[in-house]
Amino acid sequence: MEKSIVYVSMRDDNDLDCSYSIVQKDDLRIIIVLRDVELGVFDYEELKENHDFKYLLLKHYPDNETAYKDFMKIIGKMCKKPKKSKYFLNHKDEDNRMIYVDLKTEHMITDDEREYYKERFLTFEKFVCEEADLF
């Protein structure tokens, strides 16, 4: 079994207007950022060093409550992922962007949805890049 160390900072406890979690396996770390109804998973070192919005997973949610519940679920899932997974060691060059509809329904974003979610995406991207030093 691989050991995971988890650090969580909730929106109510920080001045960042978001909740985030850092999951560490040995010297590898990812950060999960939840801001309103957008969630992104990033390589922690890459985000801190480059302020590059290169997400490993990005999800759009219909409401804050659903986003929060999935945030907590994703923290647990990342703890179970092996170090060799695409999230920690073997990043894949893919656009892993999803639309979360409900508990049983989520799908990869379509071209039509990209336009619909464009403003939300750009707002989230700007926030993550500007605040990267504070995570």
Side-chain angles (χ1 to χ4, degrees), residues 2-133:
E2 293 180 1
K3 177 180 172 182
S4 297
I5 299 170
V6 179
Y7 172 80
V8 178
S9 180
M10 299 305 291
R11 168 182 251 152
D12 297 340
D13 301 327
N14 66 44
D15 296 327
L16 293 174
D17 193 31
C18 74
S19 296
Y20 67 92
S21 177
I22 299 167
V23 180
Q24 180 174 342
K25 294 179 181 287
D26 293 332
D27 60 342
L28 303 170
R29 293 185 286 180
I30 55 111
I31 183 167
I32 306 160
V33 179
L34 172 65
R35 183 164 191 245
D36 300 326
V37 289
E38 267 66 53
L39 177 142
V41 178
F42 306 90
D43 178 295
Y44 184 73
E45 268 45 84
E46 284 183 22
L47 180 63
K48 293 289 278 183
E49 289 175 18
N50 305 325
H51 294 227
D52 187 15
F53 192 73
K54 184 177 177 188
Y55 54 85
L56 304 169
L57 173 65
L58 186 114
K59 287 187 171 187
H60 300 285
Y61 298 93
D63 58 69
N64 290 34
E65 182 179 341
T66 303
Y68 173 76
K69 286 179 182 177
D70 201 46
F71 170 67
M72 298 306 272
K73 183 177 163 184
I74 288 174
I75 293 170
K77 281 184 167 185
M78 292 301 156
C79 288
K80 291 186 72 174
K81 297 280 184 196
K83 282 190 315 191
K84 294 180 179 179
S85 77
K86 67 181 180 180
Y87 294 102
F88 288 94
L89 188 60
N90 296 310
H91 301 318
K92 303 241 185 276
D93 189 20
E94 63 183 358
D95 188 5
N96 196 12
R97 189 169 161 199
M98 303 186 76
I99 305 300
Y100 188 103
V101 179
D102 59 40
L103 186 59
K104 295 181 181 179
T105 310
E106 60 183 7
H107 62 270
M108 298 305 287
I109 195 165
T110 65
D111 289 337
D112 291 341
E113 289 169 326
R114 283 181 192 283
E115 189 59 35
Y116 178 80
Y117 287 97
K118 184 177 181 178
E119 188 174 324
R120 284 173 52 174
F121 176 85
L122 293 173
T123 300
F124 186 62
E125 177 182 33
K126 181 177 186 231
F127 170 79
V128 168
C129 292
E130 287 178 353
E131 302 298 335
D133 286 332

